[in-house]
């Protein structure tokens, strides 16, 4: 089944049910003082779903049950984790703050266009794996596998999954380490398929994305959403990107890229007519990438929402921290990561440090 942006009816009804469940879950799961909650989002959703059936006499058709799994999968995609590990109270804490408005934007040439633009004119050293950060003296010493650098200030932008792989001297304070260990390490994977032609627009019209409703709960998280990254002029390359999330991430760890692509093609051929073989493909494996081991953070069960702010706190005004997991307002996003870097640069300047012309 295909869910596009033109779908109404049952999908609207399920959207309303989802919003009621998540809002009630937040209010029923309050923890005084903004502390950690031990109730997972999956527990609360299951509880309230059952209440809607028994007390509200709300019945669900088979199609609606499958749409619920679709929404659950989208939540797992947004959180980067199985819902049984996500805090029911704090999973969407960032929505307490004003968020950006406007349409979503797809970078048809990839996110590298952002990095390339920001890197212009900068002295960036590649292939430098940081092993030690020594902030015991007046200067900060950063050692890599190749070189040693001396700095007045250092901004650490490592993913939370690998921050503690670096040897800090002195050791990071306990309050910082505990916040790092509590923060959820979210993992999703993506599959990019390049085709010789567009075969999907006839069905989804002008939408830039479409969804796939899983036929069973066991298939939740497998290729639930597809994004059309074809150039706006329609001249190609014709690219679809889809996502593996939730419990399905373990499938990626055990399966070859070619087998994953084959399964994805089988699904697409059940949804569309005349699907050609891809001319190229790419399947991420971020969970096994030694320089990330994750996709983005989430508020895990037992984590406090303020841990985002704790991760952003500097050490002795020498070692500063940036990255999406340090941005309580915009976590899990490229926007949040970028703004956190600007925040830390401003913090250094405001404290009287003069940055030389680059």
């Amino acid at each position: 089944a295909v869910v596009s942006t033109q779908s109404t009816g049952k999908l609207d009804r399920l959207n309303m049910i989802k919003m009621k469940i998540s809002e009630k879950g937040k209010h029923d799961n309050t923890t005084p003082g903004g502390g950690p909650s031990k109730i997972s989002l999956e527990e609360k959703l299951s509880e309230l779903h059952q209440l809607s059936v028994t007390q509200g006499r709300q019945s669900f058709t088979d199609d609606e049950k499958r749409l619920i799994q679709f929404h659950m999968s989208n939540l797992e995609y947004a959180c980067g984790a199985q819902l049984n590990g996500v805090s029911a109270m704090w999973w969407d804490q960032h929505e307490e703050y004003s968020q950006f408005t406007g349409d979503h934007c797809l970078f048809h040439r990839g996110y590298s266009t952002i990095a390339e633009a920001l890197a212009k004119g900068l002295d960036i050293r590649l292939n430098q794996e940081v092993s030690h950060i020594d902030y015991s003296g007046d200067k900060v010493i950063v050692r890599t596998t190749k070189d040693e650098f001396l700095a007045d200030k250092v901004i650490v932008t490592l993913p939370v999954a690998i921050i503690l792989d670096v040897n800090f001297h002195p050791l990071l304070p306990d309050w910082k380490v505990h916040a790092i260990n509590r923060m959820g390490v979210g993992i999703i994977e993506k599959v990019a398929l390049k085709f010789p032609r567009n075969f999907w627009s006839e069905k989804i019209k002008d939408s830039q994305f479409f969804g796939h409703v899983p036929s069973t709960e066991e298939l939740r998280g497998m290729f639930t959403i597809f994004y059309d990254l074809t150039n706006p002029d329609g001249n190609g390359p014709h690219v679809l990107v889809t996502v593996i999330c939730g419990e399905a991430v373990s499938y990626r760890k055990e399966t070859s890229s070619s087998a994953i692509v084959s399964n994805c093609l089988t699904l697409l051929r059940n949804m569309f007519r005349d699907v050609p073989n891809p001319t190229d493909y790419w399947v991420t494996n971020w969970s096994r990438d030694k320089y990330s081991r994750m996709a983005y953070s989430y508020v895990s069960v037992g984590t406090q929402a303020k841990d985002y702010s704790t991760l952003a706190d500097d050490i002795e005004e020498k070692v500063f921290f940036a990255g999406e997991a340090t941005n309580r307002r915009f976590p899990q996003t490229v926007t949040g990561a970028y703004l956190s870097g600007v925040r830390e640069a401003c913090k250094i300047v405001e404290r009287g440090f003069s940055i030389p012309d680059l």
Side-chain angles (χ1 to χ4, degrees), residues 14 16-30 39-60 68 72 75 88-89 91:
L14 265 294
M16 185 64 67
I17 293 169
K18 182 190 72 171
M19 287 189 290
K20 287 181 178 178
I21 288 175
S22 60
E23 279 301 306
K24 191 174 188 303
K26 182 183 294 185
H27 294 309
D28 284 1
N29 194 33
T30 29
I39 302 176
S40 75
L41 184 56
E42 183 175 73
E43 288 178 88
K44 185 55 63 175
L45 289 172
S46 298
E47 172 192 332
L48 293 166
H49 174 73
Q50 190 59 35
L51 282 175
S52 70
V53 172
T54 56
Q55 295 184 7
R57 297 181 180 179
Q58 175 75 63
S59 61
F60 295 89
I68 287 175
M72 296 278 276
L75 278 175
M89 181 164 186
W91 69 280

Side-chain angles (χ1 to χ4, degrees), residues 188-191 221-223 242-246 248-249 252 260:
I188 66 162
E189 303 292 355
K190 291 189 176 182
V191 181
M222 288 294 297
F223 322 126
T242 187
V243 178
I244 301 172
C245 60
V249 168
R252 168 61 182 117
I260 288 174

Side-chain angles (χ1 to χ4, degrees), residues 193 195-197 199-200 240 264-278:
L193 303 170
F195 293 98
R197 56 182 170 76
F199 58 83
W200 53 87
L240 287 179
C264 187
L265 285 173
T266 298
L267 182 146
L268 286 170
R269 284 165 177 155
N270 287 331
M271 298 166 66
F272 300 96
R273 295 179 299 174
D274 196 19
V275 177
N277 288 325

